[in-house]
Amino acid sequence: MRIHLTSVFVDDQAKALRFYTEILGFVKKYDVPVGGTDRWLTVVSPEEPGGTELLLEPAGHPAVKPYRDALAADGIPLAQFAVSDVRAEYERLSGLGVRFTQEPLEMGPVTTAVFDDTCGNLIQIATQPEQ
């Protein structure tokens, strides 16, 4: 078993696509209209184009807002992305105007930081310990 797709709820898919591609550096994989203004919109890492897809899912369901608001109020990230150097990524993204809610923090072999994706979510970046 493996994870093929995961999702983050986003307020505005066009805005999310810009942020996730132009700022974070992911690439668009699928963009399929599914009715109304909603799209099946996924991005992937350019390092793993056949890897796990991230669905930028419309946040229209009534359960989404209270769920995301509760997570954000408690500072809990909705997703985590692996990076090779959290401090370098923190500097790069800060320079592009990304707002961090947690600066790089070392916790044993792991370093993390948390930013606002401008689409209603907190996202954590982390280094993975050497295996």
Side-chain angles (χ1 to χ4, degrees):
M1 187 178 301
R2 64 185 175 88
I3 298 172
H4 172 70
L5 178 120
T6 188
S7 64
V8 293
F9 292 106
V10 298
D11 299 325
D12 178 324
Q13 287 186 296
K15 179 181 175 185
L17 181 61
R18 283 190 302 276
F19 183 83
Y20 278 79
T21 58
E22 296 173 13
I23 302 295
L24 297 185
F26 291 106
V27 293
K28 182 172 61 176
K29 183 154 186 176
Y30 293 109
D31 187 355
V32 181
V34 293
T37 58
D38 294 345
R39 301 144 59 187
W40 182 263
L41 181 59
T42 68
V43 295
V44 294
S45 168
E47 299 166 13
E48 294 181 342
T52 305
E53 295 175 47
L54 180 65
L55 174 64
L56 304 176
E57 187 164 3
H61 190 280
V64 172
K65 183 172 177 18
Y67 169 68
R68 290 192 316 165
D69 287 350
L71 290 177
D74 288 345
I76 299 172
L78 186 68
Q80 183 187 79
F81 302 142
V83 297
S84 60
D85 184 336
V86 167
R87 291 188 186 286
E89 201 62 25
Y90 170 82
E91 293 299 327
R92 183 185 79 81
L93 293 173
S94 294
L96 293 172
V98 174
R99 184 180 70 85
F100 277 80
T101 61
Q102 177 202 303
E103 295 183 3
L105 176 66
E106 293 182 17
M107 297 177 286
V110 177
T111 303
T112 66
V114 177
F115 63 86
D116 179 343
D117 76 351
T118 73
C119 305
N121 307 297
L122 296 179
I123 303 294
Q124 184 175 63
I125 53 175
T127 57
Q128 301 299 309
E130 296 287 328
Q131 295 186 18

